[in-house]
Amino acid sequence: MNPKPPKVLYQEANPYGSFTAFLEDDGRTIYLYLQSHNNPEWPMKSLWIRNLIDAPEERDPNDFAQGLAPVLTKKETNTIHALPTLTEEEIHFIWSEEGDAVALFLNEELYAYLPPWSGIKGIHGYSKEAKENATAASPLGDTKNGVIAERVNESRKFWENVSEKNHWNKIQSLRLDFLETKLGKHDKYWSADGGKYPSLGIASFLPKEFPGIKIFSTIGMSAQNQPSVELYHKNFEDYARIELVFAIKLSKEYEDHSESWIQHVLGEMVKFPWNTGIWFGHSHTIQNPRKDPDQLYLDFSWFVFKNVTDELDKNQNLPYPKLNGLISENGKRVNYLFLVPISVEERICFQREGSQPFWDTWVKEGFSFFHESERRMLEF
């Protein structure tokens, strides 16, 4: 058959403005697609929704040669006869709180689910019309009970909570109050969200317990799960909610330049996970977007993250600010990840030797949780 030009029936960006889902009708099928706005390495995801033609006994091999999305065969679909196309009025999306998965509702009925693991091990997603695991869809199962239905309901509740009055005030107060019990009254506060969801801030502290150390922390990143964590952690909810921290040792001889760059570093990273679908965790590295104006021997062009919360939960006697014990709105812990500036050469050693030898050397050299602009190279 001669394919028709594909028509987009409906499209919608997630609340973070970083991924767009759209339904496409090519005259033969309807597919749900999910694409990233900001990460060119993030592959587009696809999920078969329904056939618009009678299901064939076998797929036409010429379809692939023409670049056509595959139809499902009679044995793969619950409805062997052609189904009608969809109208915008009956379509409704519910996004995951991470923003990288989406559920399709037709009117009030859960009809399909494109999950975070779409594209992995041959799984595209789950459709009500799929009868068995097929090339582009798997059976959705019970639309009111079960794992998928529960995930979608949790997502719905999350976004309902976000829309409540004073939502941000509660998030901000919980985190700022916690930090002030650990670090003393905050010194300064900056808004870091650019007026767009999610609301975020940055606060600085001069803790009496650590004289000469200035600490900057994000406020609000931990109000929503990071994307992709569950693809790498079995108990992903223990690592999905984070705040970023930068601690620096102030010079006794020179003017404090920390505010000329550190809150900008945090401000440029604060939405990174939701913008790209890439999560932050212990021993991950990321390029430093700003230059330390006081660096002396090393060019600190990279960061490695240090999960101080996880370490303190295992050993409360470590000489760190006691940034553990905060529980987020979902009942899971908040992880404070400290940004540790490193040089290109140190990152190469980190990648070559592995994370544990790096941190063992870090402790052996006498370094702690705070950045020293005048430190020398680690000796591996």
Side-chain angles (χ1 to χ4, degrees), residues 140-153:
L140 179 63
D142 191 337
T143 61
K144 296 186 181 300
N145 302 287
V147 174
I148 293 175
E150 289 176 6
R151 289 178 71 104
V152 174
N153 285 335

Side-chain angles (χ1 to χ4, degrees), residues 185-202:
K185 187 72 175 176
H186 71 278
D187 182 51
K188 291 185 180 178
Y189 183 92
W190 300 267
S191 175
D193 52 45
K196 297 180 180 179
Y197 181 83
S199 299
L200 297 159
I202 299 169

Side-chain angles (χ1 to χ4, degrees), residues 120-225:
I120 298 175
K121 295 183 178 180
I123 297 294
H124 285 252
Y126 308 91
S127 173
K128 182 185 176 185
E129 295 298 337
K131 186 177 182 180
E132 61 180 45
N133 290 330
T135 184
S138 298
L140 179 63
D142 191 337
T143 61
K144 296 186 181 300
N145 302 287
V147 174
I148 293 175
E150 289 176 6
R151 289 178 71 104
V152 174
N153 285 335
E154 287 300 314
S155 296
R156 186 198 299 270
K157 291 176 185 177
F158 175 82
W159 295 114
E160 287 174 351
N161 290 337
V162 167
S163 66
E164 288 181 358
K165 186 178 180 180
N166 297 324
H167 174 72
W168 167 238
N169 290 339
K170 294 176 183 177
I171 288 171
Q172 183 187 51
S173 296
L174 177 65
R175 287 149 182 82
L176 199 54
D177 290 349
F178 172 80
L179 288 169
E180 291 189 336
T181 64
K182 305 293 184 176
L183 305 174
K185 187 72 175 176
H186 71 278
D187 182 51
K188 291 185 180 178
Y189 183 92
W190 300 267
S191 175
D193 52 45
K196 297 180 180 179
Y197 181 83
S199 299
L200 297 159
I202 299 169
S204 65
F205 303 84
L206 294 166
K208 293 180 180 178
E209 185 181 356
F210 299 97
I213 306 299
K214 191 171 186 177
I215 298 178
F216 296 76
S217 176
T218 61
I219 307 286
M221 289 182 73
S222 60
Q224 47 275 315
N225 286 346

Side-chain angles (χ1 to χ4, degrees), residues 1 14 21 28 40 51 98 104 148 154 167 177 181 184 248 255 304 339-340 354 367:
M1 63 179 297
N14 69 11
R28 305 157 47 258
N51 286 344
E98 298 84 355
L104 166 65
I148 293 175
E154 287 300 314
H167 174 72
D177 290 349
T181 64
I248 186 170
E255 181 183 353
V304 58
L339 278 70
V340 176
F367 296 123

Side-chain angles (χ1 to χ4, degrees), residues 19 39 42-43 45 96-101 115-117 120 151 225-234 236-237 239-240 272-274 276-280 284:
F19 290 86
N39 185 353
W42 201 87
K45 310 294 180 69
S96 66
E97 71 173 87
E98 298 84 355
D100 63 347
W117 55 88
I120 298 175
R151 289 178 71 104
N225 286 346
Q226 296 183 95
S228 301
V229 184
E230 68 176 304
L231 304 181
Y232 299 89
H233 271 292
K234 186 175 181 180
F236 76 96
E237 288 185 310
Y239 299 93
F272 182 91
W274 300 277
T276 63
I278 299 172
W279 64 292
F280 290 153
H284 292 189

